[in-house]
Structures are given as C-alpha cells and as structure tokens.
Amino acid sequence: MESLTLSDVEQKYYSELFLSCDVDNTKKVASNGKVLDLFRAAQLSNEVVHQITELCGATRLGHFGRSQFYIALKLIALAQSGLPLRVESLNSVRDLPLPRFVMGKNEQEMRHAVMFADTENQGPYFPRPPGRVQAKKVSAHEMIQPCVPTVDPQPDTTSPVVSPHQSPPTSPHAWRKHKRQASGGNVDRQPSVPGVVWPHFREAQPGPVTGDGMWSAHSPPPVQESWVSFTDTPPSSTLPMHPPSAQPESTTVRTVPSAMTTNEIQRQISGYDDPWKITDEQRQYYINQFKTIQADLTGLIPGSAAKEFFTKSKLPILELSHIWELSDFDKDGALTLDEFCAAFHLVVARKNGYDLPEKLPESLMPKLIDLDDSAGVPEPAPEVGFSASPVEVTPNKSPSMPSLNQNWSELNQSNEQWETFSERSSSSQTLTQFDSNIAPADPDTAIVHPVPIRMTPSKIHMQEMELKRTGSDHTHPTSPLMAKPPELSDEAKLAATIKFPGTTVGDGYSSSDSFTSDQEPISSAVNRQRSHSGTSPEGLKVVAPPPPPPRPHASHSRSSSLDMNRNFAAVPAGPQQPGVVAFPPAVPPRPLPTQTSVPHGHRSVEGDGLPAHTSTSPHQMPEQPNFADFSQFQAFAVDQPADDGENASDSGQAERCAETTGTMKTAKNDVQSEERNATTVNSAKVSTPLAPPPKPVRRRLKSEDELRPDVEDLPQKSNVIATVLATQPSIPRSIGKDKKAIQASIRRNKETNTVLARLNSELQQQLKDLLEERISLEVQLEQLRPFSHL
Amino acid sequence: QSLCVHLNYPLYIRSVPTQGELKFHYTVHTSLDVVEEKISGVGKALADQRELYLGLLYPTEDYKVYGYVTNSKVKFVIVVDSSNTSLRDNEIRSMFRKLHNSFTDVMCNPFYNPGDPIQSKAFDSIVSTMMVQAC
C-alpha cells in the first residue's frame, strides 16, 4: 500500500468515516457496501469511484481495510477537488480538502453538498456538517446507512439517535462504541481522533442552532458533547440555511431497538426550533406502540402497563418517574394517546442523551389538536426552556380543551399556572377524594334526607304526629308503640319522629320554634318507642333525628286552622309526656284506655277528660308513673286558673317533666297552649279540632289513617288523656281494633298536650318570677360591687 | 420553617430558612406522637382532614406545628416559626390541601412505590413555592 500521510484533521475524519463504514465492527475493514455507498455519496461518478477503489488497493484486497479506506477517501478528496487521481498525489497534495460525502436524500444531500463546499477544514462534517446535520451522529449514521428510511436524515439539531426503549443506550453511545471499536486498528490515532474530532465539532457551533444548547448540556458523554458542539459550529454561511430548513423538518431519528449499531433506523428528534416536537413518523410509531398496549386509541393506558412498557427502556426509575410526572397531564394515573406519545418521546429523548425538561415542552402537551409548534419554542436552553402549558387534551376531550390549550400556550411558562392547572386537575381529584371523605362522615344527613321527602306537610300529619307522640308518650310500653318501632325503618322512624313534630306543631305551636322543639321530644319519644320495643327506654333521646325536616310541617301545621292548633294544644302536651315518661311502660295500656276512652267519648281537651283520665291513669300508673303526673296535670290544668299552689306543685311536676323532656320551651308552650286550651276547652269541642285533623290526615303512616278515625271519635271521648294514651299506642300498628285504640290514643295525646301546655304556662310564670328575682339580685350585686372595687 | 411528609418514617423533609433539619426531624417525630394520639382518639373522624393543632410552643424555639393526616395514614407536618405573624388557619389549611394534591400526584405515578422517599421534582417545586409564600 502506498504510504499515506494524513493530516490530523484528515485522520480524524477518515477514522470517523471508517468507523461508520465499519458496520461489522471489525475495526479493520469497512464493508464494501457501505464504503461504496459512501463513495457514491461523494458524488463522484462511478468510474471515479471505481478508479479510486482500484487505486486504494481495495480491489486487490477485496475489501476495504483501514488503509485502503483512507486512501480511498483521500482519492475522493482529490477527485472532488478536481485533481487527477494519482496515488502519488495522495501525499503530495497538501491542502487537499476533505472528501465530501453527500448523504441523505435529495435536498438534504444538496444541502450537504453545499455545506460541504462551504465548510472546509472544519473537520469531518460530511454527515454532520452543514448545520443541517446537527444530529451529527445521526446524519453520519444516515450517510452510512443510506437506506435509512427516515425522511430527513438531517436532524436539525437533535440528532440523538432515538432507540426505542428496548434498545440499550442511545445511538451516540453506539456511535462511540463504533469509534472505539474502529480505533482498535489504529490505536494511536484513534483515541485522539475522536477527541480531536469532537472539539472540532464544538468549535463550529453557530448560534442559531438552538439545539445546541441541548447538546451542550450533554457534557457527560463526550461524544455527545462533540455532537452538540458540532451542531453549534456549523459554518456560519451554511448554518443559516440549516436552521430555517431544519425548522420545518423535525426529523427524528430513531434507532431500531434491535441493535445498537448504526444500522438501526435512526430518527432524529424534532428539529431544534422545536426539539421536542414529534414528527409524524415518530408519532406513528408511538401510536403503534400505543396500540400494542391499548387497542383503543381513545382509551387510556393504565399506569401499571405503562410502567412495564417504559421500564423496558431501561431508564432509571427516577427518570421514568420524572417522565411520568411530565407526561401524565391530568394526573389520572393513566396515559392517553397524547400523554403516551409525550412520554415515549421523552423516553426517546432521554435515551439519546437529552436531559429531561423540568416542564413538559409545549409540543408534547397533550392537545386536542396536534399543534405543530414549528414556529418554535426556540429556547436556547433546550431542556428547561419549554414552557409547560399544562393543558392536556386528548382526542376524546371536549372541544373546550383547544381553547383552553390556546390560553395555556399563551400563558406559557408560569409555574404558577402549571401549579394551578395541576391543582385544578388534581384538585378535582382531591375534591372527589375529599368529597368522598366527607360524604360518609355525615350519616345523619343521609338518614335525614329521605325523611323530608316522606314528610308531607299536612295538618293531619302533624296532628297525627302529635297524637302519636302523646299516645306514645303515654303508652310507651303499649304494644302499639312497640309495634311501631319494628314497623318503622330508619326512615320511617325519622318520618314518625318528624311527623310528631309536625303534629305537635299543628296542635298548637304557632312558632316554628316550638315545632322544632317538639321534634326533639318527639324524636325522643319515638326513640323511646323504639327502645320500648326493647323494654325500657334508654337513651331514647339520643336517637332523635335532626329537627330541620319537620319544619315545613310546622308551617303547614301553622297554616292549619287555629282551632286545630288549639285543639291540638293538648297534643303537644303529649311530647312533653314522652319527655316526662322516661320509662315507657312495657305493657300497652291501650286496651284500658281504649275501653275507658271509648265509652267516655272524646271529651273536651281539658276538663272533661280529667276524670276519665284519672280513671285511666291508675291503670297506667304502674307502667307509666308519669301518667299519674299527667293526670295530676290534667287536674291541675283544670284548676290552673285558680290554683297557684297547685300550679306550684304541678309546676314542680311540670318542671320534672320539662327536665325530662329537656325542653323548657315546649313546656312553656304547652302550658301556654294549655292555658289557651283551658280557656277555650270548655267551650271548644274536640269535635272541631277533630274535624280538621281528619282532613289533613292522609297516607303516610297507617297510624295517620288510624288517627283519622280516632280523631273523629275524639270528640266523643271524655277522657282526653286516656284516649290519647290509648290512641297513641294504637296509632302505629294493629289495624283491627286500632281504630278505637287510635282514637283513644289520640284523645289521650290531646289531653296530655293540654296538660303539658298548662304546665308550660305555669313553668313560664315561674320562670318569669325567677328571672325577676335574679334581676333584683343582680342589681344588689352590682350595688355591692363598687364597694368591692373600692 | 419546614415541612415533612411522614408515614411513620419520613418520606420527605424540606426546610426553608434554616437547614437545621435535624432539629426539624426531632420536632416532627415528637409531633408524630401527638398526631397518633389524635388519630386514635377519634375513631370515626379518620377522614378528618383538618387535623390542625397548635402545639409544641417551646419557650426557646417557639414554633408551631401543624399536622394533617390523610386517609392512608400519611402525615404532613408543617413547622413554622412563631416569629412570622402566624399564618392564618385558612392558609395552613390551603397549604395542606396543596400538599395533599401534590402528594396524590406523586402517588399517581406508577413508578413511585409507596413508601419510597419522594423524589419528585414537581413535588419539590410545589413545596418550595409554598414555603416561600409562607415565609
């Protein structure tokens, strides 16, 4: 072989070329095919190529050894420069420019050629050179692999060979390996060559190539560095061409996962102006990959599947985690097609040495419309520069997204916006999370809700409720009451309780307050009833449902005739009784009161019922001691106007009752109502109040229905309380004899209500007295105070 | 001022002004006891997001410790110096909410194994932003 002396530049260049041709990694021989391709790329006629081949001795050897290759390259340079091909000239020509090879397709080739022409002594540009090849390696690869199907062998700036996740390191690494391998033959020079080459590349960096920043970022791998620098150093004259040309093309080079060698298909990551843009080819590839995981393109890839998929890329988990964070826009733990493409793209980029951006690049934002930001997100800071407009729009997303997208892209870079968005999206998640947390925490509302629906504001209801209450109060132990709880589901119970308040309100409470206050005792009464089913009332009050629902009933009840209110004033007394009757007797005295009440007929609320009441009360006494109290109250109520002493005693009882009920207010109201009733009782007939009650009475509880007839019968009963008591237990259940029982209970309830109303009034009077005393005491205290201060 | 995400062992600790992390570690650990106590006390209010308490006001280093527990027993602890006009309750709550959101975002990442130290940059950025705002 002819001796061949190469300049350093040439040396590097040639070695590089050799490496690129050294497909088989023989480190010694460049495959004929590639070499020939390379030679052809030199745009020399075939004859010349043939001649060169002969001259370099490859023909003889049958293959291109390193020396042959170098010779050939030199000859090519000669030929390109127009010099005759002579072996002698190999060493003689000093300023022989480096052989230029045109790679890639068409215009790129032309560009290359142009660039080549322009670039001189700038090191082996050919694949990379003219800025075009900013993906130097890639272009080099491309040159060596003319078969590269990629559209643009010119990776604008980012040439990192993108190897699908399955392939190990990026092509740069492969490239480097290649070189290293190739260096085997020429140890002395080889190591230096790459090193020299790289700096060369580095020098040539012009400004415009935005991708350079990215490249420069890859300091760790020297090869990449050089790649980067190389891109930066394209000849100024040629450079300008490339960026503009590069812009529209975002060629992506990707290496086939199979091999690390340059044979792999390489695509460049999108051009520098938008380094993160995904080319159509890439996108198609991504979509295909997406399909392998999730057939439905509009569907989502679950996080676990995505994890497996991307783990194959052998990136460190931390980076994968970061990629995920960037790409999972809606933070739903799953990837849509756009998200997947973005993630894949980031993986590819990472594998090619690109550092991951802090924020998702705009071009990778999942968008409803695939906006190609060819206009660019040109940021010299390659990685971080991309404004993350956190808008994710998948094809499935609503059309509103695009507009949002626009807004976001306008907003751009703000971390706050990013945060805001993530907050928004995540907040929705968290909101749901919180909501779910909150929801179960309030079972009461859940229980209460159905109640209002059930509750139909009606006078009848309210009256019935009141009656029930009173009846229940009186006859807690009665079987009807006990039967009641079983019948009542939770809702029913609530309904019942609510109804009770309703009825009480209708009975006489003109104020919603009283109504609400009734609810409590009512609920407590109901609770008691429930517990009665057990045996003794225990903590009945605890189960009281929330007051609000019954309110409307109160209004309704209020709307009911005043007569009803008055008449049912006695009923309100009923709720008092539940409070009073803390221990619902187990035995349903219903029969007794029924018997007693029926014959008695419905008496007037106050007075008439007394005797009957008393008669019945003894029956109930053992079971309902409070009833005895009520009877006393009844008597008291009758005597109230004239007997203060009784008032006192009764008030004492009333107080007890009130205490047990825990609602002074209701007591007062009861008393007041009782008072009113007392005034009107004698004159008022129960029949009148009874009449209204029947009207409103409607569906709901059968007790209500039962109450109706009971109400009608009330006027006939003289023993109100007894009747009420009788009706109460009967109200809830047993239909057979229920009517009478209900009626009796209704009467009883009314009577108790009346009594309680009176009691209430008395208590209120006492309260007033006490308040007056208190005021006087306070005044005295104040008088004394100054002295203390002194 | 510092912040810590805890799962009975610290998953994440970040402090802003002083880097006296050790001290914060100690503080956080002691506060964990109080948190545990609160959790166990209220059986049903596990979903109590707002587990806020002002305690640990040491005479020397007066700072307030706020706690927050998620449903998965992950605890967030914020320690603020009492020197700065104490943040309003709402602010603390919003901070916790943000934290929770960010934390769920981290959790959503399939590559994140629950129990690993949190190395998410997004999370870091959010935390930093928040702490800067609070300071």
Side-chain angles (χ1 to χ4, degrees), chain B residues 24-63:
Chain B
F24 289 126
H25 271 271
Y26 163 74
T27 309
V28 165
H29 274 282
T30 53
S31 64
L32 279 185
D33 290 338
V34 185
V35 172
E36 285 288 340
E37 171 189 333
K38 294 210 171 202
I39 290 179
S40 57
V42 190
K44 127 176 147 164
L46 252 193
D48 178 60
Q49 309 168 0
R50 212 69 73 173
E51 193 261 336
L52 166 72
Y53 70 106
L54 298 177
L56 304 183
L57 286 175
Y58 297 158
T60 54
E61 38 185 17
D62 58 333
Y63 52 82

Short mmCIF file of all heavy atoms in Angstrom, two decimals, chain B residues 24-63:
data_model
loop_
_atom_site.label_atom_id
_atom_site.label_comp_id
_atom_site.label_asym_id
_atom_site.label_seq_id
_atom_site.Cartn_x
_atom_site.Cartn_y
_atom_site.Cartn_z
N PHE B 24 -35.57 19.72 62.98
CA PHE B 24 -36.92 19.52 62.48
C PHE B 24 -37.30 18.05 62.54
O PHE B 24 -38.45 17.71 62.78
CB PHE B 24 -37.04 20.04 61.05
CG PHE B 24 -37.02 21.54 60.97
CD1 PHE B 24 -36.12 22.18 60.16
CD2 PHE B 24 -37.90 22.28 61.73
CE1 PHE B 24 -36.11 23.55 60.08
CE2 PHE B 24 -37.88 23.65 61.67
CZ PHE B 24 -36.98 24.29 60.84
N HIS B 25 -36.33 17.24 62.29
CA HIS B 25 -36.60 15.81 62.41
C HIS B 25 -37.11 15.50 63.80
O HIS B 25 -38.10 14.79 63.99
CB HIS B 25 -35.32 15.01 62.14
CG HIS B 25 -35.13 14.67 60.71
ND1 HIS B 25 -35.63 13.53 60.15
CD2 HIS B 25 -34.50 15.34 59.72
CE1 HIS B 25 -35.30 13.49 58.87
NE2 HIS B 25 -34.62 14.57 58.58
N TYR B 26 -36.42 16.05 64.74
CA TYR B 26 -36.80 15.78 66.12
C TYR B 26 -38.20 16.31 66.39
O TYR B 26 -39.05 15.63 66.96
CB TYR B 26 -35.78 16.43 67.05
CG TYR B 26 -36.26 16.58 68.46
CD1 TYR B 26 -36.36 15.49 69.29
CD2 TYR B 26 -36.64 17.83 68.95
CE1 TYR B 26 -36.80 15.62 70.58
CE2 TYR B 26 -37.08 17.96 70.24
CZ TYR B 26 -37.16 16.86 71.05
OH TYR B 26 -37.61 17.01 72.33
N THR B 27 -38.39 17.52 65.96
CA THR B 27 -39.70 18.11 66.19
C THR B 27 -40.80 17.30 65.54
O THR B 27 -41.85 17.05 66.15
CB THR B 27 -39.72 19.53 65.59
OG1 THR B 27 -38.59 20.24 66.05
CG2 THR B 27 -41.00 20.24 65.96
N VAL B 28 -40.52 16.91 64.34
CA VAL B 28 -41.54 16.16 63.63
C VAL B 28 -41.83 14.84 64.32
O VAL B 28 -42.97 14.41 64.44
CB VAL B 28 -41.09 15.93 62.17
CG1 VAL B 28 -41.92 14.86 61.52
CG2 VAL B 28 -41.15 17.22 61.40
N HIS B 29 -40.81 14.23 64.78
CA HIS B 29 -41.04 12.95 65.43
C HIS B 29 -41.84 13.10 66.71
O HIS B 29 -42.73 12.29 67.00
CB HIS B 29 -39.70 12.26 65.71
CG HIS B 29 -39.21 11.47 64.56
ND1 HIS B 29 -39.71 10.23 64.25
CD2 HIS B 29 -38.29 11.75 63.62
CE1 HIS B 29 -39.08 9.77 63.17
NE2 HIS B 29 -38.22 10.66 62.76
N THR B 30 -41.53 14.15 67.41
CA THR B 30 -42.32 14.33 68.62
C THR B 30 -43.76 14.67 68.28
O THR B 30 -44.69 14.25 68.98
CB THR B 30 -41.72 15.46 69.48
OG1 THR B 30 -41.59 16.63 68.67
CG2 THR B 30 -40.37 15.05 70.01
N SER B 31 -43.89 15.40 67.23
CA SER B 31 -45.27 15.74 66.87
C SER B 31 -46.04 14.54 66.39
O SER B 31 -47.26 14.49 66.49
CB SER B 31 -45.27 16.82 65.78
OG SER B 31 -44.68 16.30 64.60
N LEU B 32 -45.31 13.59 65.89
CA LEU B 32 -46.00 12.38 65.42
C LEU B 32 -46.78 11.73 66.55
O LEU B 32 -47.86 11.18 66.34
CB LEU B 32 -45.00 11.39 64.85
CG LEU B 32 -44.55 11.63 63.42
CD1 LEU B 32 -43.66 10.50 62.97
CD2 LEU B 32 -45.73 11.76 62.50
N ASP B 33 -46.20 11.81 67.69
CA ASP B 33 -46.91 11.19 68.81
C ASP B 33 -48.25 11.86 69.03
O ASP B 33 -49.27 11.20 69.25
CB ASP B 33 -46.06 11.31 70.09
CG ASP B 33 -44.85 10.40 70.00
OD1 ASP B 33 -44.90 9.45 69.22
OD2 ASP B 33 -43.87 10.66 70.73
N VAL B 34 -48.23 13.14 68.95
CA VAL B 34 -49.48 13.85 69.14
C VAL B 34 -50.46 13.50 68.04
O VAL B 34 -51.66 13.32 68.26
CB VAL B 34 -49.24 15.37 69.17
CG1 VAL B 34 -50.51 16.10 69.50
CG2 VAL B 34 -48.15 15.69 70.16
N VAL B 35 -49.94 13.39 66.85
CA VAL B 35 -50.81 13.05 65.73
C VAL B 35 -51.43 11.69 65.95
O VAL B 35 -52.63 11.49 65.76
CB VAL B 35 -50.00 13.08 64.42
CG1 VAL B 35 -50.82 12.55 63.27
CG2 VAL B 35 -49.51 14.48 64.13
N GLU B 36 -50.63 10.78 66.33
CA GLU B 36 -51.13 9.43 66.57
C GLU B 36 -52.23 9.45 67.61
O GLU B 36 -53.26 8.80 67.47
CB GLU B 36 -50.00 8.52 67.03
CG GLU B 36 -49.05 8.13 65.94
CD GLU B 36 -49.68 7.13 64.99
OE1 GLU B 36 -50.68 6.49 65.37
OE2 GLU B 36 -49.20 7.03 63.85
N GLU B 37 -51.94 10.26 68.59
CA GLU B 37 -52.92 10.32 69.67
C GLU B 37 -54.25 10.85 69.15
O GLU B 37 -55.31 10.36 69.48
CB GLU B 37 -52.34 11.20 70.76
CG GLU B 37 -53.27 11.55 71.87
CD GLU B 37 -52.63 12.60 72.76
OE1 GLU B 37 -51.39 12.65 72.83
OE2 GLU B 37 -53.38 13.36 73.37
N LYS B 38 -54.14 11.82 68.30
CA LYS B 38 -55.37 12.40 67.80
C LYS B 38 -56.09 11.43 66.88
O LYS B 38 -57.30 11.38 66.84
CB LYS B 38 -55.06 13.68 67.03
CG LYS B 38 -54.53 14.76 67.91
CD LYS B 38 -54.90 16.13 67.41
CE LYS B 38 -54.54 17.16 68.45
NZ LYS B 38 -55.28 18.38 68.29
N ILE B 39 -55.32 10.72 66.15
CA ILE B 39 -55.96 9.80 65.22
C ILE B 39 -56.70 8.72 65.97
O ILE B 39 -57.85 8.41 65.68
CB ILE B 39 -54.90 9.16 64.31
CG1 ILE B 39 -54.35 10.20 63.35
CG2 ILE B 39 -55.50 8.01 63.54
CD1 ILE B 39 -53.30 9.64 62.45
N SER B 40 -56.01 8.16 66.91
CA SER B 40 -56.62 7.03 67.60
C SER B 40 -57.81 7.48 68.43
O SER B 40 -58.75 6.75 68.64
CB SER B 40 -55.59 6.34 68.47
OG SER B 40 -55.06 7.28 69.38
N GLY B 41 -57.74 8.72 68.85
CA GLY B 41 -58.81 9.18 69.73
C GLY B 41 -60.16 9.20 69.03
O GLY B 41 -61.13 8.64 69.49
N VAL B 42 -60.14 9.87 67.90
CA VAL B 42 -61.42 10.00 67.21
C VAL B 42 -61.56 8.84 66.25
O VAL B 42 -61.03 8.85 65.17
CB VAL B 42 -61.47 11.32 66.43
CG1 VAL B 42 -62.84 11.58 65.90
CG2 VAL B 42 -60.99 12.43 67.34
N GLY B 43 -62.28 7.88 66.61
CA GLY B 43 -62.36 6.69 65.78
C GLY B 43 -62.95 6.95 64.43
O GLY B 43 -62.47 6.49 63.42
N LYS B 44 -64.00 7.71 64.42
CA LYS B 44 -64.69 7.82 63.14
C LYS B 44 -64.22 8.99 62.33
O LYS B 44 -64.36 9.01 61.15
CB LYS B 44 -66.17 7.92 63.41
CG LYS B 44 -66.81 9.09 62.77
CD LYS B 44 -68.29 9.04 63.02
CE LYS B 44 -68.80 10.44 63.14
NZ LYS B 44 -70.15 10.57 63.01
N ALA B 45 -63.65 9.90 62.98
CA ALA B 45 -63.23 11.07 62.22
C ALA B 45 -61.88 10.83 61.56
O ALA B 45 -61.04 11.70 61.53
CB ALA B 45 -63.16 12.29 63.14
N LEU B 46 -61.71 9.66 61.08
CA LEU B 46 -60.43 9.39 60.40
C LEU B 46 -60.29 10.28 59.19
O LEU B 46 -59.21 10.66 58.81
CB LEU B 46 -60.40 7.93 59.93
CG LEU B 46 -59.46 7.02 60.71
CD1 LEU B 46 -59.28 5.73 59.98
CD2 LEU B 46 -58.13 7.69 60.92
N ALA B 47 -61.40 10.56 58.63
CA ALA B 47 -61.36 11.39 57.42
C ALA B 47 -61.20 12.85 57.80
O ALA B 47 -61.43 13.72 57.00
CB ALA B 47 -62.63 11.19 56.61
N ASP B 48 -60.81 13.08 58.96
CA ASP B 48 -60.66 14.46 59.37
C ASP B 48 -59.43 15.04 58.70
O ASP B 48 -58.31 14.76 59.09
CB ASP B 48 -60.51 14.50 60.89
CG ASP B 48 -60.29 15.91 61.39
OD1 ASP B 48 -61.16 16.74 61.15
OD2 ASP B 48 -59.25 16.15 61.99
N GLN B 49 -59.66 15.80 57.72
CA GLN B 49 -58.52 16.32 57.00
C GLN B 49 -57.85 17.40 57.79
O GLN B 49 -56.72 17.71 57.60
CB GLN B 49 -58.98 16.91 55.69
CG GLN B 49 -59.84 15.93 54.95
CD GLN B 49 -60.52 16.62 53.83
OE1 GLN B 49 -60.34 17.81 53.64
NE2 GLN B 49 -61.30 15.90 53.09
N ARG B 50 -58.57 18.02 58.50
CA ARG B 50 -58.10 19.17 59.15
C ARG B 50 -57.62 18.87 60.50
O ARG B 50 -58.14 19.25 61.43
CB ARG B 50 -59.25 20.04 59.29
CG ARG B 50 -59.12 21.23 59.26
CD ARG B 50 -58.81 21.60 58.17
NE ARG B 50 -59.70 21.62 57.16
CZ ARG B 50 -59.38 22.09 56.19
NH1 ARG B 50 -58.44 22.41 56.23
NH2 ARG B 50 -60.03 22.22 55.21
N GLU B 51 -56.63 18.19 60.56
CA GLU B 51 -56.14 17.85 61.88
C GLU B 51 -55.11 18.90 62.24
O GLU B 51 -53.95 18.76 61.95
CB GLU B 51 -55.54 16.45 61.86
CG GLU B 51 -55.30 15.89 63.19
CD GLU B 51 -53.87 16.05 63.57
OE1 GLU B 51 -53.05 16.16 62.67
OE2 GLU B 51 -53.61 16.08 64.76
N LEU B 52 -55.59 19.90 62.79
CA LEU B 52 -54.72 21.06 62.96
C LEU B 52 -54.53 21.31 64.44
O LEU B 52 -55.49 21.39 65.20
CB LEU B 52 -55.41 22.27 62.32
CG LEU B 52 -54.85 23.60 62.68
CD1 LEU B 52 -53.53 23.77 62.01
CD2 LEU B 52 -55.80 24.66 62.25
N TYR B 53 -53.37 21.41 64.79
CA TYR B 53 -53.20 21.70 66.21
C TYR B 53 -52.01 22.62 66.39
O TYR B 53 -51.01 22.52 65.70
CB TYR B 53 -53.01 20.41 67.00
CG TYR B 53 -51.70 19.73 66.74
CD1 TYR B 53 -50.69 19.78 67.68
CD2 TYR B 53 -51.45 19.04 65.57
CE1 TYR B 53 -49.49 19.15 67.45
CE2 TYR B 53 -50.27 18.40 65.32
CZ TYR B 53 -49.29 18.46 66.29
OH TYR B 53 -48.11 17.83 66.07
N LEU B 54 -52.14 23.46 67.34
CA LEU B 54 -51.06 24.37 67.65
C LEU B 54 -50.44 23.91 68.93
O LEU B 54 -50.99 24.08 70.00
CB LEU B 54 -51.59 25.80 67.84
CG LEU B 54 -52.26 26.39 66.59
CD1 LEU B 54 -52.80 27.74 66.92
CD2 LEU B 54 -51.26 26.48 65.47
N GLY B 55 -49.34 23.36 68.78
CA GLY B 55 -48.73 22.86 70.00
C GLY B 55 -47.25 23.03 69.93
O GLY B 55 -46.70 23.68 69.07
N LEU B 56 -46.62 22.45 70.83
CA LEU B 56 -45.18 22.45 70.86
C LEU B 56 -44.62 23.86 70.80
O LEU B 56 -43.78 24.17 69.98
CB LEU B 56 -44.63 21.64 69.69
CG LEU B 56 -45.15 20.21 69.63
CD1 LEU B 56 -44.50 19.48 68.50
CD2 LEU B 56 -44.88 19.50 70.95
N LEU B 57 -45.17 24.66 71.60
CA LEU B 57 -44.61 26.01 71.64
C LEU B 57 -43.56 26.04 72.72
O LEU B 57 -43.83 26.35 73.87
CB LEU B 57 -45.72 27.01 71.95
CG LEU B 57 -46.66 27.28 70.78
CD1 LEU B 57 -47.78 28.18 71.21
CD2 LEU B 57 -45.90 27.90 69.62
N TYR B 58 -42.43 25.71 72.30
CA TYR B 58 -41.35 25.72 73.28
C TYR B 58 -40.99 27.15 73.62
O TYR B 58 -41.07 28.03 72.77
CB TYR B 58 -40.12 25.01 72.71
CG TYR B 58 -40.38 23.57 72.42
CD1 TYR B 58 -39.59 22.89 71.52
CD2 TYR B 58 -41.40 22.88 73.03
CE1 TYR B 58 -39.80 21.56 71.24
CE2 TYR B 58 -41.62 21.55 72.76
CZ TYR B 58 -40.82 20.89 71.87
OH TYR B 58 -41.03 19.59 71.59
N PRO B 59 -40.63 27.34 74.78
CA PRO B 59 -40.25 28.71 75.17
C PRO B 59 -39.05 29.20 74.39
O PRO B 59 -38.98 30.35 73.99
CB PRO B 59 -39.95 28.62 76.66
CG PRO B 59 -39.72 27.16 76.93
CD PRO B 59 -40.50 26.41 75.90
N THR B 60 -38.15 28.33 74.15
CA THR B 60 -36.96 28.80 73.46
C THR B 60 -37.23 28.95 71.97
O THR B 60 -37.10 30.00 71.40
CB THR B 60 -35.81 27.81 73.64
OG1 THR B 60 -36.27 26.52 73.22
CG2 THR B 60 -35.39 27.77 75.10
N GLU B 61 -37.58 27.89 71.41
CA GLU B 61 -37.83 27.95 69.98
C GLU B 61 -39.32 27.86 69.75
O GLU B 61 -39.89 26.79 69.62
CB GLU B 61 -37.12 26.78 69.30
CG GLU B 61 -37.22 25.55 70.16
CD GLU B 61 -36.45 24.39 69.61
OE1 GLU B 61 -35.58 24.61 68.75
OE2 GLU B 61 -36.74 23.29 70.02
N ASP B 62 -39.87 29.02 69.74
CA ASP B 62 -41.32 28.98 69.64
C ASP B 62 -41.73 28.78 68.20
O ASP B 62 -41.53 29.63 67.34
CB ASP B 62 -41.92 30.27 70.18
CG ASP B 62 -41.40 31.46 69.42
OD1 ASP B 62 -40.26 31.34 68.91
OD2 ASP B 62 -42.08 32.47 69.32
N TYR B 63 -42.25 27.70 67.95
CA TYR B 63 -42.78 27.47 66.63
C TYR B 63 -44.00 26.61 66.78
O TYR B 63 -44.22 25.95 67.77
CB TYR B 63 -41.74 26.81 65.73
CG TYR B 63 -41.13 25.57 66.32
CD1 TYR B 63 -41.77 24.35 66.24
CD2 TYR B 63 -39.91 25.63 66.96
CE1 TYR B 63 -41.21 23.22 66.77
CE2 TYR B 63 -39.35 24.50 67.50
CZ TYR B 63 -40.00 23.30 67.40
OH TYR B 63 -39.44 22.20 67.94
#
